[in-house]
Amino acid sequence: MEKLYIVSKYITFIGSILKGFWEHLFCRILGVPVQDARYLQANELCGHVDHDFTKGKAVTFLLCWLPGLMNRVFGYGMIIGGYLGLFYVQAETDKPIFWVYIVMLYLGVSLMCNVAPLYEDALNNWDLLYGKEQNANIVVKILAFLPSVYFLAAAWLEKYAVNLLLCIVAIVVGMVI
Amino acid sequence: MSNENKEKSFPEGTAEEKELDAVPETEKSSDGEWQWDAAVPETQTEDITVGDLKPTEVTTEVEEKTEEKEKVEETANPDDDGLCVVCGKHRGNSPSDLYCNDCRKKFLRTNYGVGHIILAFVMVFVAAISYFVCASTCELASHLTKAQAYMEDRRYDDAVNECAAISEEVSTLNTGVNSVFSAINKNHSAKDIFSDGNRSLRLVLEAYADTLTIGESQRTTFIQYVENIIGKDELNKASNANIKKVYDFVVEMTDYTSVISAKWQEYIYTDEKTSEVKIKYDEAMAYINTLENDTPAKRSMNEYHKFMTAYYAQKPSAETEAYFENAFKEAGEFSYMYHQSYMALLWETENYDRLIEITDEAVERNVNDTTAHYYAIKANILQGDFDAADARCEEMKNANTEGLDYYSVKAEILRRQGKFEECVNLCKEGIAAGTDAEIYRQQAIAYMLLEDKESALEAAKQSYDISIQNAYAGSQVSLEALNTAALIACICEDNELYEEIVSIFEQQSMTLEEAVQNCIKGEITFEELFMEGTGDV
């Protein structure tokens, strides 16, 4: 499964590198030490940075949320524009915009396949907020519940490259329909 | 306990201070705190006197607390040996669970790498462009979605208008993008970067296929569109089945017509005495009867040529209608191609009952068919069924919300019902909505019926002016507008306008309508002309 994960990260290398970069940037902003800043490496840290184990709830939550958010902000325009242009408007292949849509779709998929935190970070976030010995404020718990579930789900999907598979399926469906 | 407290508890020159000084630098932490595990066994004790040895409670307390802390840490994480995972030194008071303070400080400043920073900046630029392209594409997709919804509702004209909006949008985008490129590079030649997209073109084609008429130019254009946009190979795909069906029929009809028309045209001649176009009726009919009739397209075309033969021969309307009806029926599922021509024929032959049936079929086929609505309303008015005309008028408004025909036909209904004030007010609404000669004409008639000659003449002049401007712009001149304006000008004693209009008719070897001439002569009144019979010039 790790191989699958690494392959998916290498296929979406632009998004992987950028996600690693955002993670690194926010680690520095939030004061989390980063030991290894190689964003593309053939192990489970591919697309992430090797940072210190976070203990604060806010720091952990933000570190799970912000790097992915950056990729999402960048990726939405690309993936929506590219998908609509290619499969809904159906741009003619002899027009330059067709190739623009192709690039946008690839970059969009690449970015949107790299929006989840590392699975261990997502678990850590969950544990800090909802662990047995944690005493987080109930309002914080409520507000952070859906994002925390999302972190876990997205990290799990990314771990098994399911997100990339879903993107490929969506593209195939778009092509067929 | 804090470092401050510790400093206070060790007076200068005590044994503890000397012991601390004797410890090698490597065994002291950066903030001067004791490295308890490492320092004690190697301490030099020769120069410590008995007087220096003053056991204090504070020292014992620090030792006890540190031991307790270590015990708690060991209980919390039994695998944690307390050493930095990088350099192997004791982490001391480092807030990190992995690194000592030195390593932690170093890792807080790990470099990003120039390449990564460049990539991030490039992606910001690419994302900005992507959002522009995405917003533009969403705009096109929105028009496309509307167009598709209109197609499903059989509002073909609205669908085509939405596709036209896509083309307009694409044109604006291309102009804008090319101007940006030209500003960057003066040698840039304009290119079509954005495109309407195949789906938009296909929608236009489908709308075209469903509203196609029998006219030769329309058929030829449709064939060209299909071959250029879809291509003959793609046409055989299941998704193109509907277009292919129409295409095959139209191609067969066009090929067949081109063969028989050449021969049929030979029977048409111009009478040298009267300059009228005539036809050798019997010979032409005999020829048509010898033609193939094995397919609906051929049978339909044969009947259509019989109709044209009878029409040129000026046969009774019942006969011409019968041939047209045959052509219409033989076309089967493609009979809608005859709708427009058939409505015009039935209007001409004044067969209003059949006309209303055909308009119903046409509207069922294409909700936006305003011509069908118009004929139906006019037929209803002539039949004196104003309620039906009024209802149809509202349908027409729904079918074409921006169309101006609604105001003119509705005004006519109101006028025929004697609601002249309402008619005038409705015309004012119509004039506010857009410029149309017919609305001014209806308003002029209503003013005349209200005996407001001054306003009537003003409206009649407007109607005439617009009509003439339209004629200069290439549209057909409205004879109704000219006749009505001439009549009102004559009644209002505006001789200049009257003579101007009469001279226009004379230039075209035409005369004013008989009803207008009769009204000018005083044989019928203005009210009789516009409120009785056909109620129009």
Side-chain angles (χ1 to χ4, degrees), chain B residues 190-379:
Chain B
K191 280 179 188 168
D192 284 345
I193 291 154
F194 285 87
S195 76
D196 292 18
N198 281 323
R199 185 166 288 202
S200 167
L201 296 173
R202 180 182 289 268
L203 273 183
V204 173
L205 203 55
E206 282 171 9
Y208 207 154
D210 282 344
T211 56
L212 200 59
T213 69
I214 198 72
E216 191 185 346
S217 63
Q218 276 226 4
R219 280 186 277 126
T220 314
T221 310
F222 175 72
I223 292 168
Q224 283 172 352
Y225 270 22
V226 172
E227 288 171 2
N228 292 341
I229 295 170
I230 296 180
K232 282 185 179 175
D233 297 335
E234 288 282 306
L235 204 56
N236 292 321
K237 283 186 177 176
S239 57
N240 296 322
N242 284 338
I243 292 177
K244 186 180 185 307
K245 214 161 52 175
V246 181
Y247 174 81
D248 288 345
F249 184 82
V250 171
V251 166
E252 188 187 358
M253 186 180 259
T254 305
D255 290 348
Y256 183 66
T257 308
S258 65
V259 173
I260 65 171
S261 276
K263 177 71 179 168
W264 181 79
Q265 300 258 343
E266 290 175 11
Y267 300 109
I268 296 175
Y269 64 95
T270 307
D271 191 327
E272 287 176 6
K273 290 176 186 171
T274 60
S275 301
E276 280 180 31
V277 177
K278 292 195 172 180
I279 191 163
K280 296 169 187 167
Y281 180 77
D282 293 333
E283 290 169 50
M285 280 297 190
Y287 165 68
I288 294 166
N289 284 328
T290 62
L291 295 169
E292 296 171 35
N293 59 1
D294 54 332
T295 63
K298 288 176 182 172
R299 285 196 294 272
S300 181
M301 267 294 119
N302 290 346
E303 292 299 320
Y304 186 70
H305 278 84
K306 282 181 186 174
F307 151 73
M308 289 204 292
T309 307
Y311 189 82
Y312 276 107
Q314 294 180 335
K315 294 288 176 187
S317 58
E319 190 180 334
T320 52
E321 265 180 48
Y323 286 129
F324 204 105
E325 182 75 24
N326 290 341
F328 178 74
K329 284 181 178 164
E330 288 293 353
E333 61 179 310
F334 304 105
S335 60
Y336 65 87
M337 290 170 66
Y338 288 98
H339 277 154
Q340 300 299 319
S341 306
Y342 203 10
M343 285 188 293
L345 176 70
L346 292 167
W347 173 254
E348 202 178 309
T349 57
E350 298 177 6
N351 185 349
Y352 300 129
D353 290 332
R354 183 65 180 144
L355 173 61
I356 289 171
E357 284 174 20
I358 296 296
T359 59
D360 286 340
E361 272 184 40
V363 168
E364 201 182 324
R365 178 92 202 161
N366 177 13
V367 176
N368 289 136
D369 191 340
T370 44
T371 311
H373 284 299
Y374 187 82
Y375 277 127
I377 294 164
K378 290 291 235 183

Side-chain angles (χ1 to χ4, degrees), chain B residues 436-454:
Chain B
D436 185 54
E438 183 59 16
I439 299 174
Y440 276 110
R441 189 177 81 92
Q442 291 296 338
Q443 195 184 31
I445 297 167
Y447 275 130
M448 280 298 291
L449 293 167
L450 283 168
E451 295 180 1
D452 182 353
K453 287 185 179 177
E454 198 180 330

Side-chain angles (χ1 to χ4, degrees), chain B residues 53-294:
Chain B
L53 295 171
K54 291 176 186 172
T56 60
E57 287 177 9
V58 175
T59 314
T60 317
E61 197 181 323
V62 171
E63 281 175 359
E64 281 171 0
K65 287 215 170 186
T66 311
E67 280 168 12
E68 273 173 24
K69 194 179 171 187
E70 281 177 357
K71 276 179 190 171
V72 169
E73 278 179 3
E74 278 168 18
T75 317
N77 185 5
D79 299 330
D80 186 4
D81 53 6
L83 300 177
C84 172
V85 294
V86 180
C87 63
K89 291 175 194 166
H90 200 283
R91 296 199 303 272
N93 66 348
S94 166
S96 170
D97 280 349
L98 300 173
Y99 316 121
C100 64
N101 275 321
D102 287 344
C103 292
R104 188 172 175 277
K105 272 183 189 169
K106 190 175 76 182
F107 291 151
L108 280 172
R109 292 187 189 85
T110 310
N111 286 331
Y112 296 111
V114 178
H116 297 143
I117 293 171
I118 292 170
L119 176 73
F121 274 103
V122 169
M123 287 307 285
V124 169
F125 181 68
V126 171
I129 293 173
S130 297
Y131 270 101
F132 165 71
V133 175
C134 178
S136 312
T137 309
C138 285
E139 184 75 29
L140 302 184
S142 143
H143 284 300
L144 204 51
T145 308
K146 280 185 199 165
Q148 240 161 357
Y150 285 138
M151 286 292 284
E152 281 164 20
D153 293 343
R154 291 187 171 274
R155 298 177 72 100
Y156 295 115
D157 293 6
D158 287 340
V160 171
N161 286 342
E162 284 297 334
C163 292
I166 291 176
S167 294
E168 211 172 303
E169 188 84 26
V170 165
S171 172
T172 311
L173 284 168
N174 282 331
T175 310
V177 172
N178 278 314
S179 65
V180 171
F181 284 155
S182 300
I184 297 166
N185 176 15
K186 285 179 183 173
N187 296 325
H188 171 76
S189 56
K191 280 179 188 168
D192 284 345
I193 291 154
F194 285 87
S195 76
D196 292 18
N198 281 323
R199 185 166 288 202
S200 167
L201 296 173
R202 180 182 289 268
L203 273 183
V204 173
L205 203 55
E206 282 171 9
Y208 207 154
D210 282 344
T211 56
L212 200 59
T213 69
I214 198 72
E216 191 185 346
S217 63
Q218 276 226 4
R219 280 186 277 126
T220 314
T221 310
F222 175 72
I223 292 168
Q224 283 172 352
Y225 270 22
V226 172
E227 288 171 2
N228 292 341
I229 295 170
I230 296 180
K232 282 185 179 175
D233 297 335
E234 288 282 306
L235 204 56
N236 292 321
K237 283 186 177 176
S239 57
N240 296 322
N242 284 338
I243 292 177
K244 186 180 185 307
K245 214 161 52 175
V246 181
Y247 174 81
D248 288 345
F249 184 82
V250 171
V251 166
E252 188 187 358
M253 186 180 259
T254 305
D255 290 348
Y256 183 66
T257 308
S258 65
V259 173
I260 65 171
S261 276
K263 177 71 179 168
W264 181 79
Q265 300 258 343
E266 290 175 11
Y267 300 109
I268 296 175
Y269 64 95
T270 307
D271 191 327
E272 287 176 6
K273 290 176 186 171
T274 60
S275 301
E276 280 180 31
V277 177
K278 292 195 172 180
I279 191 163
K280 296 169 187 167
Y281 180 77
D282 293 333
E283 290 169 50
M285 280 297 190
Y287 165 68
I288 294 166
N289 284 328
T290 62
L291 295 169
E292 296 171 35
N293 59 1
D294 54 332

Side-chain angles (χ1 to χ4, degrees), chain B residues 367-496:
Chain B
V367 176
N368 289 136
D369 191 340
T370 44
T371 311
H373 284 299
Y374 187 82
Y375 277 127
I377 294 164
K378 290 291 235 183
N380 285 143
I381 292 171
L382 291 172
Q383 287 179 331
D385 190 351
F386 296 118
D387 290 338
D390 204 35
R392 202 66 186 249
C393 217
E394 296 308 316
E395 274 182 50
M396 185 188 191
K397 192 182 183 185
N398 290 334
N400 185 12
T401 49
E402 290 174 10
L404 296 174
D405 285 345
Y406 164 77
Y407 296 100
S408 54
V409 289
K410 177 87 177 175
E412 189 175 345
I413 295 167
L414 291 170
R415 169 170 55 86
R416 296 299 300 269
Q417 288 175 316
K419 300 172 183 172
F420 305 132
E421 290 282 356
E422 282 180 52
C423 175
V424 166
N425 291 334
L426 184 80
C427 288
K428 283 178 183 169
E429 278 180 41
I431 290 162
T435 311
D436 185 54
E438 183 59 16
I439 299 174
Y440 276 110
R441 189 177 81 92
Q442 291 296 338
Q443 195 184 31
I445 297 167
Y447 275 130
M448 280 298 291
L449 293 167
L450 283 168
E451 295 180 1
D452 182 353
K453 287 185 179 177
E454 198 180 330
S455 303
L457 184 60
E458 187 57 36
K461 277 182 182 172
Q462 289 286 350
S463 170
Y464 165 73
D465 286 343
I466 295 166
S467 199
I468 294 297
Q469 281 168 17
N470 289 345
Y472 280 126
S475 302
Q476 209 172 3
V477 70
S478 165
L479 292 177
E480 288 89 351
L482 264 60
N483 275 293
T484 309
L487 178 58
I488 292 171
C490 184
I491 294 169
C492 297
E493 295 172 358
D494 185 340
N495 291 332
E496 194 183 336

